[in-house]
Amino acid sequence: MALQIEEAASAQANAGTALAIDLHRICSTNELPSDFRLLRTLGVVRGVTVRSRNIGADIGAGFKALGGGEIKQMTKLCEDSRKEAFERMVEQAMERGANGVVAVRYDQNSIMPGITEVIAYGVAVSDGSIPTSGIADQPEGGMRCGQVCTSNELPNYTVHHSLGVVNGITVRTRNAAAQIGAGFKSMVGGEIKTYTTMCERARKEAYSRMVAEAVERGADGIVAMRYNTSDVQDGVTEVLAFGTAVTSGALATPLPHGDLALPTAMVTTASTLPELGSQLYSLGVVQGITVRSKNVIANFGAGLKSVFGGESRTWLGLCKDTRLQAMERMLEQARERGAKGVVAMRYDCNQISPDIIEVIAYGTAVSDQPSPQLAASANGQESRPEQAPHRIPGERVSTDLEIAGYAARSSLGLVRGISVRSCNFVRNIGAGWKSIVGGEIRNFSKMCNDAREEACERMMQHASEMGADGIAGMRFESNTVEPGVIEVVAYGTAVSERDAAAAPTSTSEGTIAHSMVTTTNELLGHQMPRSLGLAQGITVRSRNVFRNIGASLGAAFVGGERKTWTELCEAARKEAFDRLLKNAAELGATGLVALRYETEEIAPHITESSHMLQQLHERTLAALAVAARKPEWQQLRIWLSFRKYLV
């Protein structure tokens, strides 16, 4: 699918307005390159759409699922949904007088089988060349809209204190009448406007609650804001808005300190903690995982609530408790390492099976002192046997865009590790009994923890084979393959403290070299003068019925890793990634930055994967103009920003 500026301009002309934002000024990085002078932020903008597939597409997909492979009809439907959400985000930014959008992200959720919500969001920015609407100066929940951003910093704003991560959560159900109407609409396909309105309201409510919590703490800004959405059960959706509350003024009461004390105020979704100074040292990635369910009586009450729709306070309480417990476990792990804070903190959430949800809080533990192990290694006090394989120290893996206390000089490319795991039959029975009374399901918590550790280990092994010394911009991304079976991918950018050897930026097939792809905001050793906008690659694939039966039986009775599904998931991500590289090369790009993965189950046994990227600028102005006119969107949901590098 092509999302072309000519098409967008035509749509705006038909609406009677002029296109004010060039697509090359929309990026997934925290800022645009030096040709754009960012003067102010105009607040978070978003575009939401909820779409269904028509009955014909579903029947065709059903037949295709028997043999497995890509379902091109659904791939196109997913592209259309993302295009519509993207255009609505841009339209909202234009209404505010913006001429750029930075730190763009996608979030997606399955409303019900065959009906999917997609949101595109970012922070609208202005260079002052056109008048703004004044919306950014309007208060929302006690804070100016322009003081909330998805990037790590607010321009012309000095953060004196970080006040910790603030959350706004809502758990909503759709009423019975809306579900019946949506059922009829899904026969012909297209947007379901009733659900689009409901989803927009849910995100606005979560956003307002996040702002209200920040104001209660005395904040006057929020940075590195994110959305996170998950199904709690069929017809019940949790929406979370979270970010880091900050203030440019003095604190009413000092933050507590101590050698191992780690208050929640010392956790940030951004990259810095002013209280710890400018020199930080990474102690590695820390995580807290929990899998919980509500008891059967609470579930029954929530089911009745779904008849009328609205917020489900029963599930709201569960989701708050689950995220709080995950955060506490992450902090405990950070304390054990002697950390003084946690930076670049993120959430990931999954519905393991109906009524059972997994939440992970993870980030990079940091201190104002280097790790004793790394210090001993640097001083030559610690050595490994000559035959021992090269291994990346855990302290050199970071969720932040840079590894604190480590001077990386070159990017070696994207690395990833995938694991698909299940519990065995006996443990599944135990989990079933536990879900009757509610609370944490430890068997599933262990399964999820094992899957994430295995994915991390494979990612680190991949980086070691490339000769890397560290991994920056690390992320988790997970998906439920089928009830009780979880896929986890850990991915990031392999980096080295050695200068990069001269290497081609493209392959013999004409695609971008893997070493020119990164999850961080820059390619070390390469200039980045201009952005060419966003692009994504998407694929929608099914597992064939015969391999599915064998893997399902293994998952149910044996447990452990499901290698058949691990291979299938790896193949889907590789296909999306390869499409993205080829598409970017056709546009004249020589590098990709700020890459992200995203996965969603479209229907049972049918999964969408995508990459989003930002294109890097061509060495000539003419090539830039061509690429700027034709930003393409391909079908694997890895999203990142394409930029063409000067070489």
Side-chain angles (χ1 to χ4, degrees):
M1 172 187 90
L3 178 61
Q4 300 182 354
I5 287 185
E6 293 96 329
E7 293 176 353
S10 174
Q12 292 298 326
N14 293 337
T17 60
L19 184 67
I21 301 180
D22 290 334
L23 294 188
H24 69 272
R25 286 189 170 179
I26 301 173
C27 68
S28 54
T29 52
N30 285 325
E31 58 185 19
L32 286 159
S34 56
D35 67 319
F36 183 90
R37 186 176 173 227
L38 197 162
L39 291 180
R40 63 178 303 197
T41 58
L42 305 178
V44 175
V45 290
R46 58 182 173 260
V48 178
T49 186
V50 178
R51 299 182 70 88
S52 70
R53 305 178 299 278
N54 62 54
I55 190 170
D58 273 344
I59 292 173
F63 284 113
K64 177 64 177 177
L66 294 174
E70 183 180 11
I71 304 174
K72 293 185 177 180
Q73 224 173 350
M74 286 193 176
T75 297
K76 184 180 183 306
L77 288 167
C78 291
E79 279 183 332
D80 292 344
S81 296
R82 291 178 181 279
K83 175 183 175 182
E84 188 169 45
F86 178 87
E87 289 175 344
R88 288 178 178 177
M89 176 193 70
V90 173
E91 183 181 347
Q92 191 177 108
M94 289 166 53
E95 290 172 355
R96 298 190 182 189
N99 53 4
V101 183
V102 301
V104 174
R105 301 288 183 266
Y106 280 107
D107 191 24
Q108 174 173 304
N109 182 54
S110 177
I111 301 292
M112 63 173 61
I115 300 176
T116 303
E117 173 206 11
V118 175
I119 176 174
Y121 65 101
V123 57
V125 296
S126 171
D127 63 359
S129 61
I130 57 176
T132 58
S133 65
I135 293 177
D137 297 318
Q138 295 178 5
E140 183 172 355
M143 184 180 295
R144 290 195 305 113
C145 291
Q147 293 297 99
V148 182
C149 67
T150 53
S151 55
N152 283 347
E153 297 177 353
L154 284 163
N156 304 315
Y157 177 97
T158 301
V159 176
H160 285 159
H161 299 285
S162 177
L163 306 180
V165 176
V166 287
N167 300 320
I169 300 177
T170 183
V171 180
R172 303 194 70 83
T173 64
R174 275 89 57 190
N175 63 53
Q179 295 202 40
I180 292 172
F184 284 114
K185 176 65 178 178
S186 66
M187 297 181 71
V188 294
E191 183 180 11
I192 304 177
K193 293 187 177 180
T194 301
Y195 278 174
T196 297
T197 302
M198 292 169 66
C199 291
E200 173 61 35
R201 287 175 181 169
R203 294 193 183 266
K204 186 175 181 180
E205 185 171 29
Y207 177 92
S208 298
R209 289 178 178 179
M210 173 192 68
V211 171
E213 184 177 333
V215 171
E216 286 178 5
R217 296 191 189 185
D220 54 15
I222 298 174
V223 298
M225 176 261 171
R226 299 286 185 273
Y227 280 114
N228 186 247
T229 313
S230 68
D231 280 347
V232 177
Q233 63 176 21
D234 289 342
V236 182
T237 302
E238 176 206 15
V239 176
L240 169 72
F242 69 103
T244 299
V246 294
T247 178
S248 57
L251 288 176
T253 57
L255 292 173
H257 283 282
D259 290 340
L260 291 179
L262 190 53
T264 54
M266 299 302 287
V267 180
T268 179
T269 52
S271 299
T272 58
L273 286 166
E275 287 74 16
L276 294 182
S278 59
Q279 182 58 64
L280 297 178
Y281 296 91
S282 171
L283 302 180
V285 176
V286 289
Q287 63 185 34
I289 296 176
T290 185
V291 179
R292 299 179 69 87
S293 71
K294 265 294 179 193
N295 64 55
V296 67
I297 297 175
N299 267 336
F300 181 73
L304 291 177
K305 176 66 178 178
S306 66
V307 174
F308 303 100
E311 184 168 52
S312 171
R313 297 193 177 276
T314 300
W315 283 107
L316 178 64
L318 169 72
C319 292
K320 283 183 175 180
D321 291 345
T322 304
R323 293 189 184 272
L324 179 62
Q325 186 176 51
M327 173 74 81
E328 288 175 347
R329 289 181 175 177
M330 179 192 72
L331 289 175
E332 181 60 33
Q333 194 176 109
R335 290 189 192 102
E336 291 172 356
R337 297 192 187 184
K340 300 286 185 68
V342 177
V343 301
M345 177 265 174
R346 298 289 184 268
Y347 284 115
D348 190 23
C349 188
N350 243 332
Q351 183 189 36
I352 301 298
S353 62
D355 311 326
I356 299 174
I357 57 173
E358 175 220 11
V359 171
I360 174 175
Y362 67 101
T364 300
V366 294
S367 177
D368 52 6
Q369 299 294 324
S371 160
Q373 290 84 357
L374 281 182
S377 177
N379 294 330
Q381 299 174 11
E382 196 175 273
S383 61
R384 58 186 175 90
E386 292 184 6
Q387 300 301 318
H390 170 66
R391 178 178 172 80
I392 295 175
E395 295 86 350
R396 292 265 178 90
V397 180
S398 175
T399 54
D400 200 6
L401 300 176
E402 297 178 352
I403 304 172
Y406 168 80
R409 301 174 66 91
S410 60
S411 301
L412 304 182
L414 180 74
V415 290
R416 65 176 176 260
I418 295 178
S419 177
V420 180
R421 299 188 71 88
S422 69
C423 278
N424 62 41
F425 180 70
V426 175
R427 290 187 172 182
N428 273 329
I429 292 175
W433 284 109
K434 179 63 178 179
S435 66
I436 295 176
V437 295
E440 183 177 11
I441 303 175
R442 296 185 182 276
N443 287 338
F444 279 164
S445 290
K446 184 180 184 305
M447 176 191 76
C448 293
N449 190 65
D450 290 346
R452 293 183 187 275
E453 286 186 356
E454 188 169 45
C456 267
E457 185 64 30
R458 290 175 176 174
M459 174 191 67
M460 293 170 69
Q461 182 179 350
H462 186 185
S464 295
E465 292 169 356
M466 296 172 66
D469 304 309
I471 300 173
M474 178 264 177
R475 294 288 184 272
F476 280 121
E477 202 275 323
S478 57
N479 177 56
T480 300
V481 177
E482 67 174 34
V485 183
I486 184 174
E487 173 209 7
V488 174
V489 57
Y491 65 100
T493 300
V495 295
S496 173
E497 55 192 355
R498 298 176 296 277
D499 288 325
T505 58
S506 62
T507 65
S508 57
E509 291 81 16
T511 61
I512 293 173
H514 286 201
S515 60
M516 297 296 289
V517 181
T518 177
T519 55
T520 62
N521 283 349
E522 61 178 334
L523 278 165
L524 299 175
H526 298 270
Q527 295 182 22
M528 192 168 54
R530 250 183 117 177
S531 165
L532 298 185
L534 296 175
Q536 60 181 1
I538 298 175
T539 186
V540 179
R541 299 185 68 85
S542 68
R543 305 179 292 277
N544 73 54
V545 66
F546 300 107
R547 300 188 76 182
N548 212 45
I549 291 172
S552 295
L553 290 173
F557 293 100
V558 182
E561 185 183 12
R562 300 292 93 216
K563 292 187 177 181
T564 298
W565 282 337
T566 299
E567 292 169 1
L568 289 168
C569 292
E570 175 61 39
R573 293 184 185 276
K574 184 179 185 302
E575 182 177 37
F577 184 70
D578 289 344
R579 285 182 177 181
L580 188 60
L581 294 181
K582 183 178 179 181
N583 178 239
E586 290 171 352
L587 297 174
T590 54
L592 309 172
V593 297
L595 175 146
R596 298 291 183 270
Y597 276 110
E598 201 179 324
T599 310
E600 183 69 31
E601 185 179 33
I602 303 297
H605 312 312
I606 299 175
T607 303
E608 175 201 7
S609 298
S610 84
H611 306 341
M612 183 179 89
L613 332 128
Q614 186 168 335
Q615 255 172 267
L616 291 161
H617 190 80
E618 174 67 78
R619 47 176 89 161
T620 66
L621 202 54
L624 166 63
V626 171
R629 281 200 306 271
K630 300 173 80 174
E632 302 280 344
W633 292 62
Q634 273 229 212
Q635 300 279 65
L636 164 65
R637 270 186 11 196
I638 301 178
W639 38 278
L640 58 159
S641 292
F642 291 140
R643 286 190 189 138
K644 197 139 201 212
Y645 284 102
L646 290 178
V647 292

